[in-house]
Amino acid sequence: MPPGRRVTLSQVAESAGVSVMTASYTYNQPGRVSAASRARVLEAATRLGYPGPDPSARSLRRGSANAMGVVLGEHLSYAFDDPGAVSFLAGVAEVCAEAGAGLLIVPITGADHDVDRVAQAVVDGFIVWTTSDDDPVLAAVRATKRPAVVHGGPASAGLQAVGIDNRAAARAVGTLAFAGARRPAIVSQPLDRSRLSSIGAVTDLGDVLFPVTRDRLAGYRDAAENVGLAWDEVVVAVCSRNGEDLAEDAARSLLTSSARPDAIAAMGDQQAFGVLRAARSLGLRIPEDLAVTGFDDLPAAEQYELTTVAQSLREQGSTCAHLALGHQVPTTAPPWSVVVRTTTRQ
Amino acid sequence: MPPGRRVTLSQVAESAGVSVMTASYTYNQPGRVSAASRARVLEAATRLGYPGPDPSARSLRRGSANAMGVVLGEHLSYAFDDPGAVSFLAGVAEVCAEAGAGLLIVPITGADHDVDRVAQAVVDGFIVWTTSDDDPVLAAVRATKRPAVVHGGPASAGLQAVGIDNRAAARAVGTLAFAGARRPAIVSQPLDRSRLSSIGAVTDLGDVLFPVTRDRLAGYRDAAENVGLAWDEVVVAVCSRNGEDLAEDAARSLLTSSARPDAIAAMGDQQAFGVLRAARSLGLRIPEDLAVTGFDDLPAAEQYELTTVAQSLREQGSTCAHLALGHQVPTTAPPWSVVVRTTTRQ
DNA sequence: CTGTTAGCGCTTTCAT
DNA sequence: ATGAAAGCGCTAACAG
């Protein structure tokens, strides 16, 4: 097996005493080649150590990469710590695998050259995990002119969007959280890519650049008003990242403040778990002293007996993949429902 | 913006009144082009709707794909349900992102054409999540002649392996599990790709084709012999897949049988959680009536107060990525340790 | 069943 | 600073 430079198909063909096309057919349309030729080609390939047709060359010639690009948030490393993102990815991966398409995770780190990473991805289309209105990656994806689907938003020209009606869902679960409450609060995910944490009223939702966050806050506002509470007085604790620990800290601050909340709507289940842990460590009764709601209905929500919004991120991942692959699938908004357990008063 | 066929660099060059190379430099070595030319090229690109240099063509010409292939087990869909695999993947993704390399998840489904998916992946190297000795994907990876690293094994010619000494770790934790026990049992992951479940002694470890499983069983055998128990009498309940639920069922069978085990070494933490749930529902005291150990030290192991083996799969993912990218990193075996909590007698 | 031709779109090399 | 030539490795299209 001669080493050194990589072996090419034409070398194999020559060594087998056939034309390049016969060698090519041997790999791509074996039925079209006589058994004898095929055997000679494969023998030569083995002898020369030919690793098979070069995927890059094939991809250029065929005009397709047979792979789907996935952009997982402003920094890749956040995504794998987020169970929701992982289950979304599982849905995408499943459909891609069925279709025989690879799934290329685009190396986004938050740096300026992220846009180049998108432009240079060898893929046929893109799926973008929810990001902010002003994320430059969106323009980069659009510029590739390849089919693209954004999960959760922002919706924009040239990009399809898939996601539940977050405002309606937040309104529904928020109404349960805030029912009978006097001092409602919210533990929120970041408002924009700066990911600054803060505590206080969020009067202008126009400042909120993550559309999913914005819609959920709008839904909680609707809910507060539904039960006769003023939005100005709803304290919003914004955590810089999703996850239990930061939410637990934030909840502890809220719950030890002079105006202790008696209801907390958390923007995600993990945050709700953190809130429940804080409440438990402070000896508060749930739901009498404090009502809590989450969002997403992760598996652990059942053990926490958490009232929350159920949606299937995995299913939505599948839908995104189908759309980006050009399959015909219904484009109705994905379903959601409120799961009432024991952390709310009603 | 003229529609239809995709715009090429030479069209942009022509329209800008410069040579193709000036246009190419504009994208790849902007400093080498006069500001005037650059502006004209970019203007023409915008006007024609040029999406930037085609990644496939660039990849062919440059001879590199700038992406790492990852093979996640015999069927992709198992991987995302496995917290260990996810955290391994997070480690891989982090290093790839730093290096600006994409991460291509190869669409493996267990079908015969899996080997083609590997051959056709546009990548510079491969990382394989632990699989069985006889998995044809391994030969396919080797055949590409690209750098490749296998996590967990099997080790084989042409493929580097990364992973802890599973036998030693299992011996250590198994010795805690079986200390003072009379009727030891094991809840095991599958033995081979057939994934048949079974209950009984596993006399011949040579039948076990997953090297990680084989090594851990060998370690548990060492442990049993350490404490004076005969391996023939150790009942092994093999679950067809990893996960809490199947392990819970298996444990319930064991614990309601005539010869109820008083110690169960589970091959993974999730399985151990299932065992603990079964024991709890049967009213058994832990560790007095039943000692239990796990493997991996997932975050939830702390809440279960589970005695287990700690290792960092994320770290090992990083190591695999560095190796496959050709970085110089120390190749010492990754560290592990036994974390003693309250589910064992010592 | 096999072969010839003609590029896919780009960038390296070497001139100018 | 710019350009001409050459060809990366392969396969669609069309003969024979």
Side-chain angles (χ1 to χ4, degrees), chain A:
Chain A
M1 179 164 55
R5 277 199 58 62
R6 89 208 281 176
V7 185
T8 69
L9 189 58
S10 64
Q11 290 170 32
V12 172
E14 187 182 359
S15 172
V18 299
S19 78
V20 200
M21 280 322 296
T22 299
S24 178
Y25 289 142
T26 299
Y27 286 94
N28 298 305
Q29 304 174 47
R32 208 174 142 169
V33 173
S34 71
S37 301
R38 202 186 316 141
R40 302 182 60 195
V41 169
L42 294 176
E43 181 279 323
T46 307
R47 183 160 35 77
L48 299 176
Y50 178 62
D54 181 84
S56 290
R58 167 180 271 164
S59 172
L60 172 61
R61 183 60 242 230
R62 298 232 248 237
S64 89
N66 200 30
M68 183 60 52
V70 176
V71 177
L72 280 183
E74 321 114 81
H75 194 301
L76 236 188
S77 61
Y78 299 176
F80 289 97
D81 298 325
D82 178 345
V86 170
S87 100
F88 176 81
L89 196 56
V92 174
E94 188 150 44
V95 171
C96 286
E98 278 163 21
L103 191 166
L104 182 82
I105 297 179
V106 180
I108 297 294
T109 62
D112 291 344
H113 55 243
D114 283 351
V115 293
D116 302 326
R117 309 299 188 212
V118 170
Q120 290 164 16
V122 184
V123 298
D124 302 316
F126 287 95
I127 294 171
V128 182
W129 174 247
T130 187
T131 186
S132 72
D133 294 333
D134 62 344
D135 191 334
V137 161
L138 290 169
V141 167
R142 203 178 303 114
T144 66
K145 305 213 169 162
R146 292 173 158 72
V149 185
V150 181
H151 178 263
S156 62
L159 305 177
Q160 294 182 79
V162 167
I164 64 166
D165 182 339
N166 280 290
R167 180 168 182 171
R171 184 189 303 134
V173 77
T175 300
L176 289 177
F178 296 157
R182 302 182 152 212
R183 290 177 306 279
I186 294 170
V187 171
S188 172
Q189 290 164 8
L191 307 185
D192 55 47
R193 290 188 300 141
S194 76
R195 295 183 169 266
L196 293 173
S197 61
S198 62
I199 293 200
V202 174
T203 44
D204 188 358
L205 295 187
D207 297 339
V208 181
L209 299 187
F210 282 114
V212 169
T213 301
R214 184 172 57 233
D215 290 348
R216 291 186 188 175
L217 286 175
Y220 293 139
R221 182 181 58 189
D222 296 343
E225 292 169 355
N226 269 353
V227 300
L229 295 163
W231 176 241
D232 288 355
E233 292 170 15
V234 179
V235 177
V236 181
V238 178
C239 298
S240 61
R241 290 188 39 189
N242 204 342
E244 290 190 35
D245 295 345
L246 288 175
E248 184 173 350
D249 293 346
R252 200 180 307 278
S253 296
L254 289 172
L255 294 171
T256 54
S257 71
S258 55
R260 177 166 66 74
D262 52 4
I264 295 182
M267 203 169 279
D269 279 358
Q270 286 188 293
Q271 294 192 311
F273 304 155
V275 171
L276 288 171
R277 292 209 318 232
R280 188 189 301 155
S281 76
L282 293 169
L284 298 175
R285 292 167 305 165
I286 306 287
E288 294 81 1
D289 299 327
L290 180 72
V292 178
T293 59
F295 214 108
D296 284 349
D297 198 29
L298 299 179
E302 194 173 350
Q303 295 175 37
Y304 280 96
E305 303 195 57
L306 178 69
T307 296
T308 187
V309 172
Q311 65 170 322
S312 173
L313 289 166
R314 184 168 185 133
E315 203 69 41
Q316 290 168 43
S318 298
T319 302
C320 288
H322 279 302
L323 288 172
L325 288 166
H327 299 171
Q328 296 298 336
V329 286
T331 58
T332 53
W336 58 270
S337 62
V338 173
V339 181
V340 183
R341 297 201 180 92
T342 67
T343 59
T344 41
R345 300 188 174 93
Q346 300 191 339

Side-chain angles (χ1 to χ4, degrees), chain B residues 123-218:
Chain B
V123 297
D124 303 316
F126 287 96
I127 294 171
V128 182
W129 175 247
T130 186
T131 187
S132 72
D133 294 333
D134 63 345
D135 190 335
V137 160
L138 290 168
V141 166
R142 203 178 303 114
T144 66
K145 305 214 169 158
R146 292 172 159 73
V149 184
V150 180
H151 178 262
S156 61
L159 304 178
Q160 293 182 79
V162 167
I164 64 167
D165 182 341
N166 280 290
R167 180 168 181 170
R171 184 189 304 133
V173 76
T175 300
L176 289 178
F178 297 157
R182 305 182 146 211
R183 290 177 306 279
I186 293 170
V187 171
S188 173
Q189 290 163 10
L191 306 185
D192 56 45
R193 289 187 302 139
S194 77
R195 294 182 169 266
L196 293 174
S197 59
S198 63
I199 293 200
V202 174
T203 45
D204 188 358
L205 294 187
D207 297 339
V208 180
L209 299 187
F210 282 114
V212 170
T213 301
R214 183 172 58 235
D215 290 347
R216 293 187 188 175
L217 286 175

Side-chain angles (χ1 to χ4, degrees), chain B residues 8-23:
Chain B
T8 69
L9 189 58
S10 65
Q11 290 171 34
V12 171
E14 188 183 358
S15 172
V18 299
S19 76
V20 198
M21 279 324 298
T22 300

